[in-house]
PDB file of all heavy atoms in Angstrom:
ATOM      1  N   ILE A 108      17.748 -30.131   8.927  1.00 94.00           N
ATOM      2  CA  ILE A 108      17.237 -29.829   7.591  1.00 94.00           C
ATOM      3  C   ILE A 108      18.072 -28.710   6.950  1.00 94.00           C
ATOM      4  O   ILE A 108      18.405 -28.766   5.756  1.00 94.00           O
ATOM      5  CB  ILE A 108      15.752 -29.383   7.661  1.00 94.00           C
ATOM      6  CG1 ILE A 108      14.885 -30.515   8.202  1.00 94.00           C
ATOM      7  CG2 ILE A 108      15.261 -28.929   6.290  1.00 94.00           C
ATOM      8  CD1 ILE A 108      14.567 -31.585   7.217  1.00 94.00           C
ATOM      9  N   ILE A 109      18.451 -27.716   7.773  1.00 94.00           N
ATOM     10  CA  ILE A 109      19.277 -26.618   7.278  1.00 94.00           C
ATOM     11  C   ILE A 109      20.653 -27.138   6.849  1.00 94.00           C
ATOM     12  O   ILE A 109      21.217 -26.700   5.837  1.00 94.00           O
ATOM     13  CB  ILE A 109      19.431 -25.528   8.357  1.00 94.00           C
ATOM     14  CG1 ILE A 109      18.057 -25.047   8.825  1.00 94.00           C
ATOM     15  CG2 ILE A 109      20.254 -24.363   7.833  1.00 94.00           C
ATOM     16  CD1 ILE A 109      17.163 -24.555   7.719  1.00 94.00           C
ATOM     17  N   ASP A 110      21.189 -28.085   7.601  1.00 93.00           N
ATOM     18  CA  ASP A 110      22.484 -28.666   7.242  1.00 93.00           C
ATOM     19  C   ASP A 110      22.409 -29.390   5.895  1.00 93.00           C
ATOM     20  O   ASP A 110      23.325 -29.265   5.060  1.00 93.00           O
ATOM     21  CB  ASP A 110      22.948 -29.641   8.325  1.00 93.00           C
ATOM     22  CG  ASP A 110      23.280 -28.936   9.643  1.00 93.00           C
ATOM     23  OD1 ASP A 110      23.518 -27.713   9.600  1.00 93.00           O
ATOM     24  OD2 ASP A 110      23.264 -29.612  10.690  1.00 93.00           O
ATOM     25  N   ILE A 111      21.327 -30.135   5.694  1.00 94.00           N
ATOM     26  CA  ILE A 111      21.163 -30.839   4.418  1.00 94.00           C
ATOM     27  C   ILE A 111      21.023 -29.836   3.279  1.00 94.00           C
ATOM     28  O   ILE A 111      21.606 -30.016   2.196  1.00 94.00           O
ATOM     29  CB  ILE A 111      19.939 -31.777   4.477  1.00 94.00           C
ATOM     30  CG1 ILE A 111      20.226 -32.955   5.411  1.00 94.00           C
ATOM     31  CG2 ILE A 111      19.547 -32.274   3.090  1.00 94.00           C
ATOM     32  CD1 ILE A 111      19.048 -33.897   5.601  1.00 94.00           C
ATOM     33  N   ARG A 112      20.263 -28.778   3.516  1.00 93.00           N
ATOM     34  CA  ARG A 112      20.116 -27.725   2.494  1.00 93.00           C
ATOM     35  C   ARG A 112      21.474 -27.096   2.172  1.00 93.00           C
ATOM     36  O   ARG A 112      21.794 -26.834   1.002  1.00 93.00           O
ATOM     37  CB  ARG A 112      19.118 -26.677   2.990  1.00 93.00           C
ATOM     38  CG  ARG A 112      19.040 -25.421   2.133  1.00 93.00           C
ATOM     39  CD  ARG A 112      19.847 -24.293   2.748  1.00 93.00           C
ATOM     40  NE  ARG A 112      19.820 -23.091   1.960  1.00 93.00           N
ATOM     41  CZ  ARG A 112      20.676 -22.097   2.089  1.00 93.00           C
ATOM     42  NH1 ARG A 112      21.675 -22.186   2.991  1.00 93.00           N
ATOM     43  NH2 ARG A 112      20.603 -21.027   1.328  1.00 93.00           N
ATOM     44  N   HIS A 113      22.319 -26.856   3.227  1.00 92.00           N
ATOM     45  CA  HIS A 113      23.638 -26.253   3.027  1.00 92.00           C
ATOM     46  C   HIS A 113      24.546 -27.182   2.223  1.00 92.00           C
ATOM     47  O   HIS A 113      25.251 -26.737   1.306  1.00 92.00           O
ATOM     48  CB  HIS A 113      24.266 -25.948   4.393  1.00 92.00           C
ATOM     49  CG  HIS A 113      25.587 -25.248   4.296  1.00 92.00           C
ATOM     50  ND1 HIS A 113      25.705 -23.899   4.019  1.00 92.00           N
ATOM     51  CD2 HIS A 113      26.868 -25.719   4.420  1.00 92.00           C
ATOM     52  CE1 HIS A 113      26.975 -23.570   3.979  1.00 92.00           C
ATOM     53  NE2 HIS A 113      27.710 -24.658   4.229  1.00 92.00           N
ATOM     54  N   GLU A 114      24.515 -28.471   2.560  1.00 92.00           N
ATOM     55  CA  GLU A 114      25.333 -29.434   1.804  1.00 92.00           C
ATOM     56  C   GLU A 114      24.906 -29.488   0.345  1.00 92.00           C
ATOM     57  O   GLU A 114      25.746 -29.507  -0.558  1.00 92.00           O
ATOM     58  CB  GLU A 114      25.208 -30.817   2.442  1.00 92.00           C
ATOM     59  CG  GLU A 114      25.848 -30.938   3.816  1.00 92.00           C
ATOM     60  CD  GLU A 114      25.615 -32.310   4.422  1.00 92.00           C
ATOM     61  OE1 GLU A 114      25.430 -33.269   3.638  1.00 92.00           O
ATOM     62  OE2 GLU A 114      25.610 -32.435   5.661  1.00 92.00           O
ATOM     63  N   ALA A 115      23.595 -29.536   0.113  1.00 91.00           N
ATOM     64  CA  ALA A 115      23.093 -29.643  -1.265  1.00 91.00           C
ATOM     65  C   ALA A 115      23.398 -28.387  -2.069  1.00 91.00           C
ATOM     66  O   ALA A 115      23.564 -28.455  -3.289  1.00 91.00           O
ATOM     67  CB  ALA A 115      21.582 -29.892  -1.241  1.00 91.00           C
ATOM     68  N   THR A 116      23.531 -27.243  -1.378  1.00 90.00           N
ATOM     69  CA  THR A 116      23.772 -25.981  -2.078  1.00 90.00           C
ATOM     70  C   THR A 116      25.255 -25.731  -2.299  1.00 90.00           C
ATOM     71  O   THR A 116      25.667 -25.300  -3.389  1.00 90.00           O
ATOM     72  CB  THR A 116      23.167 -24.804  -1.274  1.00 90.00           C
ATOM     73  OG1 THR A 116      21.784 -25.055  -1.038  1.00 90.00           O
ATOM     74  CG2 THR A 116      23.314 -23.489  -2.040  1.00 90.00           C
ATOM     75  N   HIS A 117      26.089 -26.013  -1.287  1.00 88.00           N
ATOM     76  CA  HIS A 117      27.480 -25.576  -1.342  1.00 88.00           C
ATOM     77  C   HIS A 117      28.495 -26.712  -1.346  1.00 88.00           C
ATOM     78  O   HIS A 117      29.674 -26.467  -1.604  1.00 88.00           O
ATOM     79  CB  HIS A 117      27.777 -24.670  -0.131  1.00 88.00           C
ATOM     80  CG  HIS A 117      26.878 -23.475  -0.044  1.00 88.00           C
ATOM     81  ND1 HIS A 117      26.913 -22.449  -0.962  1.00 88.00           N
ATOM     82  CD2 HIS A 117      25.904 -23.160   0.854  1.00 88.00           C
ATOM     83  CE1 HIS A 117      26.007 -21.523  -0.631  1.00 88.00           C
ATOM     84  NE2 HIS A 117      25.380 -21.941   0.465  1.00 88.00           N
ATOM     85  N   LYS A 118      28.097 -27.930  -1.044  1.00 84.00           N
ATOM     86  CA  LYS A 118      29.058 -29.031  -0.965  1.00 84.00           C
ATOM     87  C   LYS A 118      28.615 -30.179  -1.860  1.00 84.00           C
ATOM     88  O   LYS A 118      27.839 -29.988  -2.798  1.00 84.00           O
ATOM     89  CB  LYS A 118      29.191 -29.493   0.491  1.00 84.00           C
ATOM     90  CG  LYS A 118      29.682 -28.412   1.446  1.00 84.00           C
ATOM     91  CD  LYS A 118      29.785 -28.939   2.863  1.00 84.00           C
ATOM     92  CE  LYS A 118      30.277 -27.865   3.827  1.00 84.00           C
ATOM     93  NZ  LYS A 118      30.367 -28.357   5.229  1.00 84.00           N
ATOM     94  N   CYS A 119      29.046 -31.371  -1.556  1.00 87.00           N
ATOM     95  CA  CYS A 119      28.592 -32.547  -2.298  1.00 87.00           C
ATOM     96  C   CYS A 119      27.156 -32.863  -1.905  1.00 87.00           C
ATOM     97  O   CYS A 119      26.734 -32.645  -0.760  1.00 87.00           O
ATOM     98  CB  CYS A 119      29.491 -33.751  -1.980  1.00 87.00           C
ATOM     99  SG  CYS A 119      31.186 -33.554  -2.524  1.00 87.00           S
ATOM    100  N   LEU A 120      26.395 -33.391  -2.844  1.00 88.00           N
ATOM    101  CA  LEU A 120      24.995 -33.701  -2.571  1.00 88.00           C
ATOM    102  C   LEU A 120      24.885 -34.773  -1.490  1.00 88.00           C
ATOM    103  O   LEU A 120      25.642 -35.748  -1.494  1.00 88.00           O
ATOM    104  CB  LEU A 120      24.310 -34.191  -3.853  1.00 88.00           C
ATOM    105  CG  LEU A 120      24.176 -33.152  -4.978  1.00 88.00           C
ATOM    106  CD1 LEU A 120      23.525 -33.791  -6.199  1.00 88.00           C
ATOM    107  CD2 LEU A 120      23.364 -31.950  -4.516  1.00 88.00           C
ATOM    108  N   PRO A 121      23.948 -34.613  -0.552  1.00 90.00           N
ATOM    109  CA  PRO A 121      23.759 -35.613   0.508  1.00 90.00           C
ATOM    110  C   PRO A 121      23.273 -36.935  -0.087  1.00 90.00           C
ATOM    111  O   PRO A 121      22.854 -37.012  -1.245  1.00 90.00           O
ATOM    112  CB  PRO A 121      22.684 -34.984   1.408  1.00 90.00           C
ATOM    113  CG  PRO A 121      22.684 -33.534   1.061  1.00 90.00           C
ATOM    114  CD  PRO A 121      23.053 -33.450  -0.400  1.00 90.00           C
ATOM    115  N   CYS A 122      23.317 -37.967   0.726  1.00 93.00           N
ATOM    116  CA  CYS A 122      22.864 -39.271   0.257  1.00 93.00           C
ATOM    117  C   CYS A 122      21.331 -39.270   0.117  1.00 93.00           C
ATOM    118  O   CYS A 122      20.629 -38.447   0.706  1.00 93.00           O
ATOM    119  CB  CYS A 122      23.322 -40.378   1.208  1.00 93.00           C
ATOM    120  SG  CYS A 122      22.507 -40.346   2.824  1.00 93.00           S
ATOM    121  N   ARG A 123      20.837 -40.226  -0.643  1.00 91.00           N
ATOM    122  CA  ARG A 123      19.411 -40.275  -0.958  1.00 91.00           C
ATOM    123  C   ARG A 123      18.553 -40.474   0.294  1.00 91.00           C
ATOM    124  O   ARG A 123      17.492 -39.858   0.427  1.00 91.00           O
ATOM    125  CB  ARG A 123      19.138 -41.395  -1.961  1.00 91.00           C
ATOM    126  CG  ARG A 123      17.685 -41.471  -2.418  1.00 91.00           C
ATOM    127  CD  ARG A 123      17.496 -42.567  -3.443  1.00 91.00           C
ATOM    128  NE  ARG A 123      17.883 -43.881  -2.898  1.00 91.00           N
ATOM    129  CZ  ARG A 123      17.806 -45.019  -3.591  1.00 91.00           C
ATOM    130  NH1 ARG A 123      17.360 -45.002  -4.840  1.00 91.00           N
ATOM    131  NH2 ARG A 123      18.178 -46.161  -3.050  1.00 91.00           N
ATOM    132  N   ASP A 124      18.999 -41.321   1.221  1.00 93.00           N
ATOM    133  CA  ASP A 124      18.201 -41.602   2.408  1.00 93.00           C
ATOM    134  C   ASP A 124      18.012 -40.361   3.275  1.00 93.00           C
ATOM    135  O   ASP A 124      16.912 -40.105   3.803  1.00 93.00           O
ATOM    136  CB  ASP A 124      18.848 -42.718   3.231  1.00 93.00           C
ATOM    137  CG  ASP A 124      18.779 -44.058   2.522  1.00 93.00           C
ATOM    138  OD1 ASP A 124      17.933 -44.192   1.609  1.00 93.00           O
ATOM    139  OD2 ASP A 124      19.564 -44.957   2.868  1.00 93.00           O
ATOM    140  N   ARG A 125      19.079 -39.568   3.435  1.00 94.00           N
ATOM    141  CA  ARG A 125      18.952 -38.334   4.223  1.00 94.00           C
ATOM    142  C   ARG A 125      18.020 -37.347   3.532  1.00 94.00           C
ATOM    143  O   ARG A 125      17.215 -36.674   4.185  1.00 94.00           O
ATOM    144  CB  ARG A 125      20.332 -37.709   4.433  1.00 94.00           C
ATOM    145  CG  ARG A 125      21.254 -38.498   5.353  1.00 94.00           C
ATOM    146  CD  ARG A 125      22.581 -37.775   5.506  1.00 94.00           C
ATOM    147  NE  ARG A 125      22.413 -36.492   6.196  1.00 94.00           N
ATOM    148  CZ  ARG A 125      23.192 -35.446   5.996  1.00 94.00           C
ATOM    149  NH1 ARG A 125      24.193 -35.510   5.106  1.00 94.00           N
ATOM    150  NH2 ARG A 125      22.997 -34.322   6.674  1.00 94.00           N
ATOM    151  N   LEU A 126      18.141 -37.265   2.232  1.00 94.00           N
ATOM    152  CA  LEU A 126      17.271 -36.355   1.488  1.00 94.00           C
ATOM    153  C   LEU A 126      15.812 -36.787   1.577  1.00 94.00           C
ATOM    154  O   LEU A 126      14.906 -35.949   1.705  1.00 94.00           O
ATOM    155  CB  LEU A 126      17.710 -36.291   0.021  1.00 94.00           C
ATOM    156  CG  LEU A 126      18.993 -35.515  -0.254  1.00 94.00           C
ATOM    157  CD1 LEU A 126      19.495 -35.796  -1.666  1.00 94.00           C
ATOM    158  CD2 LEU A 126      18.763 -34.011  -0.077  1.00 94.00           C
ATOM    159  N   ARG A 127      15.581 -38.095   1.520  1.00 94.00           N
ATOM    160  CA  ARG A 127      14.215 -38.600   1.629  1.00 94.00           C
ATOM    161  C   ARG A 127      13.628 -38.269   3.000  1.00 94.00           C
ATOM    162  O   ARG A 127      12.463 -37.859   3.110  1.00 94.00           O
ATOM    163  CB  ARG A 127      14.186 -40.107   1.389  1.00 94.00           C
ATOM    164  CG  ARG A 127      12.766 -40.681   1.399  1.00 94.00           C
ATOM    165  CD  ARG A 127      12.734 -42.170   1.217  1.00 94.00           C
ATOM    166  NE  ARG A 127      13.089 -42.560  -0.145  1.00 94.00           N
ATOM    167  CZ  ARG A 127      14.154 -43.272  -0.462  1.00 94.00           C
ATOM    168  NH1 ARG A 127      14.985 -43.676   0.488  1.00 94.00           N
ATOM    169  NH2 ARG A 127      14.404 -43.586  -1.713  1.00 94.00           N
ATOM    170  N   MET A 128      14.451 -38.426   4.056  1.00 95.00           N
ATOM    171  CA  MET A 128      13.979 -38.080   5.397  1.00 95.00           C
ATOM    172  C   MET A 128      13.652 -36.589   5.493  1.00 95.00           C
ATOM    173  O   MET A 128      12.646 -36.198   6.104  1.00 95.00           O
ATOM    174  CB  MET A 128      15.046 -38.449   6.434  1.00 95.00           C
ATOM    175  CG  MET A 128      15.235 -39.940   6.658  1.00 95.00           C
ATOM    176  SD  MET A 128      16.608 -40.290   7.798  1.00 95.00           S
ATOM    177  CE  MET A 128      16.082 -39.387   9.246  1.00 95.00           C
ATOM    178  N   ALA A 129      14.495 -35.768   4.883  1.00 95.00           N
ATOM    179  CA  ALA A 129      14.246 -34.318   4.905  1.00 95.00           C
ATOM    180  C   ALA A 129      12.962 -33.976   4.163  1.00 95.00           C
ATOM    181  O   ALA A 129      12.172 -33.133   4.612  1.00 95.00           O
ATOM    182  CB  ALA A 129      15.435 -33.589   4.280  1.00 95.00           C
ATOM    183  N   ALA A 130      12.739 -34.630   3.036  1.00 95.00           N
ATOM    184  CA  ALA A 130      11.531 -34.375   2.258  1.00 95.00           C
ATOM    185  C   ALA A 130      10.279 -34.805   3.021  1.00 95.00           C
ATOM    186  O   ALA A 130       9.256 -34.100   3.009  1.00 95.00           O
ATOM    187  CB  ALA A 130      11.613 -35.105   0.918  1.00 95.00           C
TER     188      ALA A 130
END
Side-chain angles (χ1 to χ4, degrees):
I108 297 282
I109 304 305
D110 293 340
I111 290 177
R112 171 260 179 197
H113 184 78
E114 292 177 26
T116 305
H117 303 293
K118 300 180 180 179
C119 295
L120 294 178
C122 69
R123 184 178 59 180
D124 291 341
R125 291 181 65 209
L126 287 167
R127 184 182 289 116
M128 289 175 58

